[in-house]
Amino acid sequence: MIDTYGSCRTGGRINLMEWAAAVSFLIGVACALRMPVLVFTITVLIVMIAYAIASYSIGSTLLQSVAWSVAFAVVLEAGYLFGHGILYCLYSRRTAGGRRRVWQKIQSKYSAD
């Protein structure tokens, strides 16, 4: 039975992995605001290793543990890139508007300009 509140496998409940992916994406967006890319990459690597060890120790197979840790790392990085994309759009529009005004005010001494 397919429900509007979730998938058919979970019986209408939202899967915890979906929530974890959404939270990881939001954490990536938040980290894009202030964290340098090298520090963020090292943090993602540590999170990957910690998640793989934790999920393997509770009984998941090695392949599942590695696959989910890579999936969460990809989601974290996607959030980070999304945050930087938003910041770039906001910053480039603000500075581009200021530059146009400056170039419009400059009077050239050559007639071709």
Side-chain angles (χ1 to χ4, degrees), residues 87-107:
L87 290 174
Y88 175 77
C89 287
L90 293 174
Y91 180 73
S92 65
R93 286 186 183 165
R94 184 178 68 193
T95 58
R99 286 186 192 146
R100 283 190 201 123
R101 290 185 207 119
V102 170
W103 285 107
Q104 289 172 352
K105 292 179 183 178
I106 296 175
Q107 296 291 328

Side-chain angles (χ1 to χ4, degrees), residues 7-77:
S7 64
C8 59
R9 292 183 308 189
T10 58
R13 294 172 297 174
I14 295 178
N15 193 354
L16 288 178
M17 291 298 192
E18 294 169 0
W19 278 107
V23 169
S24 295
F25 185 82
L26 292 176
I27 289 172
V29 171
C31 288
L33 298 175
R34 297 295 293 168
M35 191 178 283
V37 70
L38 180 62
V39 175
F40 182 74
T41 304
I42 293 170
T43 303
V44 168
L45 183 65
I46 292 169
V47 168
M48 278 180 61
I49 293 169
Y51 181 80
I53 290 171
S55 66
Y56 185 71
S57 67
I58 61 171
S60 295
T61 64
L62 182 63
L63 184 61
Q64 287 176 336
S65 300
V66 170
W68 277 109
S69 65
V70 168
F72 284 130
V74 167
V75 171
L76 274 167
E77 293 285 345

